[in-house]
Amino acid sequence: MAIREQWELDGVVHRDEGPAVIFRHPETMAVMEEQYYVNGRLHRDPEPARIFYDEDGNENGAVWYRSGRRWIEGQDNWNRLFNPIYMPDGP
């Protein structure tokens, strides 16, 4: 269970400066995860769009998204345009 903070613009998840969704531990209020959205889609370039934190606030995982699609480091422009990799969000 976590506390969810969410920013929206015109009814869609969006924030220009900072994460649009933050999950916090219900007792300590420590940040557990940050998610960056643009116009309702996970997106952040060149940084990760989802960042996970341990109980001490140290980053312990990250996932990159561009325009709502998971992006794997090392993909070249041709591959991203013609063979997009789509992986839905996990739990």
Side-chain angles (χ1 to χ4, degrees):
M1 185 68 118
I3 296 172
R4 179 184 175 117
E5 299 174 12
Q6 180 171 303
W7 285 258
E8 295 183 2
L9 180 66
D10 297 327
V12 296
V13 182
H14 178 93
R15 189 172 180 196
D16 290 326
E17 301 294 327
V21 177
I22 299 173
F23 290 96
R24 295 184 181 274
H25 189 281
E27 294 175 10
T28 66
M29 297 303 289
V31 174
M32 299 166 55
E33 181 179 351
E34 295 177 327
Q35 299 178 355
Y36 291 78
Y37 281 81
V38 175
N39 298 321
R41 294 180 175 187
L42 279 164
H43 178 86
R44 193 170 179 216
D45 188 14
E47 303 296 325
R50 292 181 71 188
I51 305 171
F52 305 94
Y53 298 93
D54 65 17
E55 295 172 354
D56 296 322
N58 300 308
E59 185 179 322
N60 69 354
V63 183
W64 283 254
Y65 284 82
R66 292 187 179 162
S67 299
R69 293 179 183 241
R70 189 167 179 181
W71 184 80
I72 298 173
E73 191 171 358
Q75 283 179 280
D76 60 20
N77 289 334
W78 179 267
N79 191 34
R80 280 189 282 133
L81 290 172
F82 296 103
N83 286 313
I85 295 173
Y86 176 74
M87 298 178 74
D89 288 336

